[in-house]
Amino acid sequence: MDFGILSGVFAAAFLSATLLFGLSEAAVVAAALAGETSRTALLLAATAGNVLGAVLNFALGRFLIRFADRRWFPVSPPARRKAEALFQRYGRPVLLFSWLPVVGDPLTLVAGLLKTPLTLFLIFVTLGKAARYAAVLWLIP
């Protein structure tokens, strides 16, 4: 297996989860089409990177929310309000959808803000993100 490919997929997935431009799905697809790395390894690298990025957002919500007014803070106030409303309506299982564009990353930040237990956070987020990458890999011929 190519460490460079897996590192690139991991990094793209991490960046995607932290609201930076990471294109994780494109990285997974490109790596899978290259055929040099097993799809299982790609699934694990992408999921690990994306979950680790979500943990960073969780930590921002849990410990660094006092910096929410700073320009570098990754979640805007409107996105935060939307994520808080989803949390109030659906509870912690809404984290299964943390892979969704626009609202997914703020959900992980709000989970930290609302002091979601880390174990539950990891279960829901990992299941959702792994399912997304599994679907992407399954759709590639």
Side-chain angles (χ1 to χ4, degrees):
M1 284 183 239
D2 186 9
F3 181 74
I5 290 174
L6 292 176
S7 297
V9 167
F10 178 92
F14 178 84
L15 291 173
S16 291
T18 58
L19 293 177
L20 299 173
F21 193 64
L23 293 173
S24 65
E25 289 87 357
V28 169
V29 169
L33 291 175
E36 297 176 19
T37 307
S38 79
R39 291 185 182 210
T40 301
L42 292 172
L43 173 68
L44 293 174
T47 301
N50 215 236
V51 170
L52 188 59
V55 169
L56 176 62
N57 290 340
F58 177 87
L60 284 170
R62 187 81 172 251
F63 305 109
L64 299 176
I65 196 64
R66 67 180 177 264
F67 297 113
D69 61 338
R70 304 288 170 89
R71 225 178 77 170
W72 57 264
F73 200 77
V75 177
S76 68
R80 180 177 152 192
R81 285 190 293 275
K82 188 173 187 175
E84 286 173 344
L86 286 170
F87 244 90
Q88 287 179 339
R89 185 169 184 182
Y90 300 108
R92 293 176 183 145
V94 77
L95 288 168
L96 289 167
F97 300 99
S98 63
W99 60 271
L100 287 170
V102 181
V103 72
D105 297 329
L107 282 174
T108 59
L109 179 114
V110 169
L113 181 67
L114 298 176
K115 297 186 178 11
T116 300
L118 183 59
T119 303
L120 287 176
F121 173 84
L122 288 172
I123 289 168
F124 287 126
V125 169
T126 302
L127 287 173
K129 290 178 181 286
R132 181 249 322 254
Y133 288 118
V136 167
L137 287 165
W138 181 75
L139 290 170
I140 301 170

